[in-house]
Amino acid sequence: MNTITMRPPVAAAKADRSYWLRSIEADAATPPLQGTADCDVAIVGGGYAGLWTALRIKEQSPETRVTVLEADFCGSGASGRNGGQVHSWFAEIDMLRTLVGEDDALMLCRATAEAIEELNGLQASGAVDMGLRLDGWLWTASSTAQEGAWAAARDICLALGEERFQPLQRADILRRTGSDASYVGIVEERAGTVQPAKLAIGLRQLAIERGIAIHERSPVVEIAPGLRPQLRTSGGVLSAGKVVLAANAWLSAIPELHPYLYVVSSQVVATAPAPDVLERIGWTDGASICDAQHHVLYYQRTSEGTVIFGRGTGGIAYGDRIDDRFNRGGDGGADNIRELHRVYPQLKDVPVLCDWSGPIDCTAEHLPVFGHLKDHPNIFYAMGFNGTGIAQTPVAGRIMTSLVLGRDDAWSRCGLVGIGKRTRLPPEPLRYIGARVVRRAIRRKNDLEILNRKPDAVTRFLAGLAP
């Protein structure tokens, strides 16, 4: 029986960790796996998806022995590197409806709205200190080409009786963000921002308190399938009845999954605290903001007055082999800083103190997929979160729990389960060559459209080939 070879993540050096992780000095708090151990469910990956799955399993089946194996430390991957934006799946309801149908789309969107309330409850109870601020999520346009990017999602919501979004005009956006770069958009009011590393570390502690075993600094090297799969790390072997693969972009190393998954980088910068400047321009709350260009901008201000400014770079690697270039770009965040100063020229004299990157696991449909490996019904996977996971992974945990526990319910039957209907991506070298061509076209298109200039036909065509 063939073993499954995993590709251990390349841990970021302390200097390359995200602002979020560095600001709370996050690190490993549990011992590596040593020797042999046994459990009912082994989860590979200690980020949001893995931890929420572990917690959901314990909620529904308290007697189940769950062990999480994390290559570095919980939250060191995408869960501790993202932009800290919290919003529901209603923003993607048009894509969801196309993929899974109207009923499932509405169920999943409502579930993410409920997950936001669950996060709020965890914070209010003192169970997890995550810095959650439900001051809204703004989806805006800063050029004519971006106008109406939200129209399909908004119109479907209204048709289904879900008044999730409210319109914004220039004065509203200026009042809420302190910037006049964007001039029209919508807002999801019951959404906002979070300190993502605090959330990850808080979920780790919650899992430990609920009897879940966690071994950090325990990268899984290979998995030997069978009735009881064996997961081998550098220090030990874990035997499990069932396995959940929740390792984000690193699942691209599995040949069965790679045709449906592609990996791109996103880059984020953090400024020095500048509360006086932000107060002066009127940016005082915890709203999260996106603009609608293809390589989306996403930003927020922390309660201390640090500005977090992220941008999808579209950066790729041949064969989706993730290396340390995905931990930190070599340009000091120059592209982000240029856009930061376009949106907030008032911040030109505020230094940028931190820049970092991270890999994003993407599918062509821009929605995650869940299931089990074709020849291994006891090895499950959750992948393709496409950079949107804070309110979505609590729902992913419900789906994975139903699959792992063998439940026949709305979660196990939902349209996000099953990879057969998903789009297969080209093999190498076509994948890499094509992605580089398309990336250049998207960047060229973005830069022209920001100036309200129309890209040439070739650029528009090539950019349109993006999944």
Side-chain angles (χ1 to χ4, degrees):
M1 188 172 295
N2 293 332
T3 59
I4 299 168
T5 301
M6 303 294 289
R7 185 184 298 152
V10 179
K14 285 190 176 182
D16 294 340
R17 291 178 183 172
S18 73
Y19 163 82
W20 307 117
L21 293 166
R22 291 164 65 178
S23 67
I24 63 170
E25 298 182 343
D27 217 323
T30 62
L33 179 68
Q34 296 291 336
T36 59
D38 187 81
C39 66
D40 299 314
V41 179
I43 297 176
V44 181
Y48 297 150
L51 291 171
W52 275 114
T53 298
L55 289 164
R56 300 298 194 206
I57 290 172
K58 273 294 186 182
E59 287 172 3
Q60 295 192 31
S61 180
E63 71 283 0
T64 300
R65 298 171 301 148
V66 181
T67 298
V68 175
L69 298 178
E70 163 56 38
D72 192 7
F73 62 91
C74 291
S76 60
S79 299
R81 303 188 199 186
N82 60 76
Q85 302 213 339
V86 184
H87 63 84
S88 75
W89 249 334
F90 280 107
E92 286 82 33
I93 194 170
D94 52 329
M95 294 188 293
L96 274 165
R97 188 176 72 168
T98 298
L99 180 65
V100 306
E102 190 168 281
D103 291 344
D104 274 3
L106 191 55
M107 177 189 77
L108 290 162
C109 289
R110 287 173 173 168
T112 55
E114 292 166 3
I116 293 173
E117 300 307 323
E118 182 177 9
L119 291 171
N120 193 41
L122 285 172
Q123 178 164 278
S125 70
V128 179
D129 171 20
M130 64 187 83
L132 178 67
R133 296 174 295 165
L134 294 179
D135 292 331
W137 174 70
L138 283 63
W139 188 1
T140 68
S142 57
S143 72
T144 55
Q146 298 174 23
E147 293 175 13
W150 48 82
R154 179 202 58 201
D155 292 349
I156 291 171
C157 286
L158 290 174
L160 295 174
E162 293 283 347
E163 296 186 11
R164 193 72 187 181
F165 302 108
Q166 301 301 320
L168 293 173
Q169 301 303 323
R170 185 186 298 272
D172 304 314
I173 297 170
L174 177 61
R175 175 177 55 83
R176 298 182 74 149
T177 71
S179 170
D180 61 3
S182 292
Y183 56 88
V184 68
I186 58 173
V187 59
E188 181 178 27
E189 294 289 6
R190 200 64 179 167
T193 54
V194 75
Q195 210 288 27
K198 281 189 174 182
L199 174 56
I201 296 304
L203 291 175
R204 177 181 68 186
Q205 183 58 35
L206 197 62
I208 292 169
E209 291 170 359
R210 295 184 180 178
I212 295 162
I214 298 177
H215 294 287
E216 296 169 296
R217 303 272 160 79
S218 299
V220 175
V221 177
E222 65 180 21
I223 302 171
L227 291 176
R228 291 194 61 78
Q230 308 286 307
L231 294 84
R232 185 170 67 83
T233 72
S234 60
V237 176
L238 176 66
S239 174
K242 296 177 181 178
V243 175
V244 173
L245 304 176
N248 192 269
W250 288 273
L251 295 188
S252 63
I254 298 177
E256 181 178 330
L257 303 179
H258 188 225
Y260 305 92
L261 189 69
Y262 66 99
V263 178
V264 298
S265 68
S266 191
Q267 187 171 58
V268 192
V269 299
T271 70
D276 293 345
V277 176
L278 302 184
E279 184 80 25
R280 188 167 64 248
I281 67 177
W283 193 12
T284 60
D285 69 13
S288 54
I289 307 110
C290 285
D291 88 348
Q293 62 179 282
H294 193 110
H295 284 166
V296 65
L297 298 182
Y298 49 94
Y299 45 104
Q300 64 148 296
R301 61 150 292 173
T302 70
S303 56
E304 298 79 22
T306 291
V307 174
I308 308 297
F309 202 92
R311 190 184 194 196
T313 71
I316 57 168
Y318 187 84
D320 291 314
R321 293 185 177 275
I322 305 162
D323 56 26
D324 57 10
R325 291 173 297 175
F326 279 81
N327 290 329
R328 190 176 187 185
D331 62 355
D335 216 36
N336 287 41
I337 294 170
R338 182 196 68 177
E339 284 293 276
L340 169 65
H341 293 163
R342 177 182 68 83
V343 178
Y344 289 103
Q346 307 93 330
L347 298 178
K348 283 187 177 178
D349 294 328
V350 177
V352 169
L353 299 185
C354 189
D355 69 276
W356 69 95
S357 299
I360 299 176
D361 54 333
C362 298
T363 63
E365 291 78 16
H366 296 276
L367 293 165
V369 60
F370 310 94
H372 64 76
L373 297 182
K374 182 177 55 146
D375 296 325
H376 309 300
N378 56 355
I379 301 179
F380 302 85
Y381 58 84
M383 69 177 196
F385 289 94
N386 294 268
T388 304
I390 292 175
Q392 289 69 25
T393 47
V395 180
R398 296 192 184 281
I399 295 170
M400 294 305 297
T401 295
S402 288
L403 292 174
V404 169
L405 297 180
R407 305 275 168 82
D408 182 13
D409 58 19
W411 303 113
S412 63
R413 293 192 302 268
C414 86
L416 294 179
V417 175
I419 208 165
K421 60 187 174 184
R422 295 304 186 96
T423 302
R424 290 177 66 97
L425 297 158
E428 298 292 10
L430 291 178
R431 178 189 291 224
Y432 179 72
I433 296 169
R436 286 181 62 87
V437 171
V438 169
R439 176 179 183 262
R440 283 196 294 268
I442 290 172
R443 298 302 289 269
R444 190 161 59 247
K445 179 174 179 285
N446 278 348
D447 289 345
L448 289 168
E449 289 179 344
I450 284 293
L451 301 173
N452 286 322
R453 293 168 56 188
K454 187 176 181 179
D456 61 88
V458 173
T459 296
R460 296 198 307 273
F461 171 76
L462 292 173
L465 296 177

